[in-house]
């Protein structure tokens, strides 16, 4: 038989080429299958690992959930206990604040009340307010603040002032339950009370002070009338000697047309009102040591330079603590009296001289009548005769 020839050595055959291509594809598919199988195996291993890890994570999550549930339950119980404790503390603090508020308001010497802003309805009042208005605190709770204004329209002005400034302080007339009125010092400000917008009000009875002020005002008016219309000079003097105030009579006494002119002219130079400035220093020193002097007489000088005699009364005015504040006093012109005194002194001296002469004459007459005087006269006569007689040697 002839020699065998391999397929490769044979002439190309289309079918053979196709077979070879199919064989190559089959080999590629086999390789891909093996790779896919390996990848599957790897994925199964990875899946097993992931599944095991996820199971562990899930277990841990379940444990954490259980722990959190226990913690939450414990925290809830604790928070309930804490909330209860806090509520008790809040209630205790509120009770203590109420007790302190009651104690403070009961001890305060002024009337206190809390009232609604719009209606004025009283929500709280202390005992002192009840005493001021003539009602018990319980009875006041059925009242409105409007009922106690002597002039109700003033409440509107008070509320307007609070709206602008948040506070009010002023003196008003109030009316008691029996209809009598009194002066009160009113202090008011916004205040939160039991969750409501209210006004905290304090009222202090100042009737005594107002009466004292009225009396003082009347006394000052009387003093001013006396001061300005007095016929004698009245002054108020500072510690350094300057005049703080003088009346018209004082100004006229020293030749000034008005108190203002005198104060302006002698400010810092009051020594010019004294003929001898040392007398001013003497006056101040005596006031410092005695607090009051009377009938201090000095030679004074008017604005035009003319002189006159003045008599001053002055006293030191001190504070309640004893501090020296100023001096006050009066001054009058005693020139006529001093002239009369001088004239009287001259008359007395003249009379004394005349009396002395008459007395001497009487004494001489009495002496002349004595035996001793008569003997002296005779002796004198003898001496005179002896002197006049001619001497023997001249005969």
């Amino acid at each position: 038989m002839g020699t065998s020839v391999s397929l490769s050595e044979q002439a190309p055959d289309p079918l053979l080429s196709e077979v070879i291509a199919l064989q190559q594809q089959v080999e590629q598919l086999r390789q891909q299958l093996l790779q896919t199988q390996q990848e599957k195996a790897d994925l199964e291993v990875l899946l097993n690992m992931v599944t095991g890890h996820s199971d562990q994570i899930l277990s841990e999550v379940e444990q954490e959930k259980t722990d959190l549930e226990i913690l939450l339950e414990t925290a809830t119980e604790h928070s309930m206990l804490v909330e209860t404790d806090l509520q008790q503390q809040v209630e205790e603090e509120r009770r203590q604040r109420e007790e302190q508020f009651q104690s403070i308001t009961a001890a305060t010497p002024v009337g206190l009340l809390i009232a609604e802003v719009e209606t004025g309805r009283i929500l709280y009042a202390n005992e002192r307010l009840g005493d001021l208005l003539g009602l018990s605190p319980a009875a006041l709770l059925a009242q409105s603040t409007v009922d106690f204004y002597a002039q109700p329209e003033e409440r509107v002005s008070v509320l307007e002032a609070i709206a602008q400034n948040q506070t009010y302080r002023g003196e008003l007339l109030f009316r008691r339950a029996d209809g009598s009125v009194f002066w009160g010092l009113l202090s008011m400000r916004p205040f939160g009370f039991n969750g409501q917008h209210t006004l905290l009000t304090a009222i202090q009875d100042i009737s005594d002070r107002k009466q004292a002020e009225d009396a003082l005002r009347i006394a000052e008016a009387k003093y001013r009338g006396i001061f300005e219309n007095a016929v004698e000079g009245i002054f108020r003097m500072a510690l350094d000697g300057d005049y703080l105030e003088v009346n018209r009579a004082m100004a006229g006494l020293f030749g000034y047309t008005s108190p203002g002119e005198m104060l302006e002219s002698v400010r810092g130079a009051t020594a010019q009102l004294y003929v001898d400035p040392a007398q001013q220093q003497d006056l101040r020193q005596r006031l410092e040591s005695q607090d009051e002097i009377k009938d201090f007489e000095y030679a004074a000088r008017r604005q035009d330079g003319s002189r006159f005699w003045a008599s001053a009364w002055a006293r030191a005015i001190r504070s309640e603590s004893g501090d020296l504040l100023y001096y006050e006093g009066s001054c009058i012109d005693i020139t006529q009296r001093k002239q009369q005194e001088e004239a009287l002194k001259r008359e007395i001296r003249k009379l004394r001289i005349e009396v002395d002469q008459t007395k001497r004459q009487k004494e001489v007459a009495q002496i002349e009548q004595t035996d001793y005087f008569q003997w002296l006269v005779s002796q004198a006569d003898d001496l005179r005769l002896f002197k006049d007689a001619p001497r023997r040697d001249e005969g």
Side-chain angles (χ1 to χ4, degrees), residues 21 35-36 72 77 128 147 153 172 214 226 232 317 322 335 352 370 379:
Q35 185 177 355
T36 301
L72 179 61
E77 292 177 356
R128 179 56 182 159
D147 301 330
E153 64 274 10
L172 299 175
D214 290 341
I226 294 172
E232 63 181 9
I317 302 300
T335 303
R352 183 176 292 116
T370 61
Q379 290 296 318

Side-chain angles (χ1 to χ4, degrees), residues 26-224:
V26 169
E27 182 63 25
Q28 290 178 357
L29 289 174
R30 189 178 64 80
Q31 291 296 328
Q32 289 178 359
L33 177 62
L34 290 174
Q35 185 177 355
T36 301
Q37 288 176 346
Q38 183 62 43
E39 289 178 355
K40 177 183 177 184
D42 292 341
L43 288 173
E44 288 177 350
V45 173
L46 181 60
L47 178 62
N48 289 333
M49 291 178 63
V50 171
T51 302
H53 183 64
S54 64
D55 290 341
Q56 183 180 358
I57 292 174
L58 181 60
S59 177
E60 291 177 356
V61 169
E62 289 292 336
Q63 183 62 43
E64 290 179 357
K65 177 184 177 184
T66 302
D67 293 342
L68 287 173
E69 288 176 347
I70 295 173
L71 180 61
L72 179 61
E73 183 179 356
T74 303
T76 302
E77 292 177 356
H78 180 68
S79 64
M80 291 177 64
L81 292 174
V82 171
E83 183 178 359
T84 302
D85 291 342
L86 289 175
Q87 185 66 27
Q88 290 177 350
Q89 291 179 9
V90 169
E91 290 294 329
E92 179 63 21
E93 290 177 359
R94 185 179 65 81
R95 185 187 62 79
Q96 291 179 359
R97 286 198 301 269
E98 288 181 353
E99 290 180 354
Q100 291 174 353
F101 178 77
Q102 293 287 346
S103 300
I104 292 172
T105 57
T108 187
V110 301
L112 292 177
L113 68 90
I114 300 172
E116 293 179 347
V117 177
E118 297 297 332
T119 63
R121 185 171 67 90
I122 298 176
L123 305 177
Y124 170 81
N126 68 348
E127 292 284 347
R128 179 56 182 159
L129 184 69
D131 295 339
L132 285 178
L133 300 178
L135 290 173
S136 66
L140 285 172
L141 298 182
Q143 303 291 324
S144 169
T145 55
V146 182
D147 301 330
F148 300 105
Y149 284 86
Q151 299 176 353
E153 64 274 10
E154 289 185 338
R155 183 175 184 270
V156 177
S157 301
V158 171
L159 294 179
E160 290 175 351
I162 291 177
Q164 294 179 359
N165 305 317
Q166 294 298 303
T167 58
Y168 177 84
R169 183 179 176 86
E171 298 176 359
L172 299 175
L173 270 176
F174 292 93
R175 190 180 306 278
R176 299 186 181 91
D178 61 5
S180 60
V181 296
F182 68 95
W183 278 100
L185 176 62
L186 175 67
S187 299
M188 190 180 293
R189 63 182 299 271
F191 183 71
F193 183 74
N194 293 337
Q196 301 183 62
H197 295 294
T198 62
L199 293 173
L200 176 61
T201 303
I203 302 176
Q204 182 179 1
D205 187 351
I206 58 171
S207 298
D208 291 343
R209 195 199 76 192
K210 294 292 286 187
Q211 291 176 358
E213 289 176 353
D214 290 341
L216 178 61
R217 186 167 53 253
I218 293 172
E220 287 179 346
K222 290 182 178 178
Y223 169 79
R224 181 57 54 185

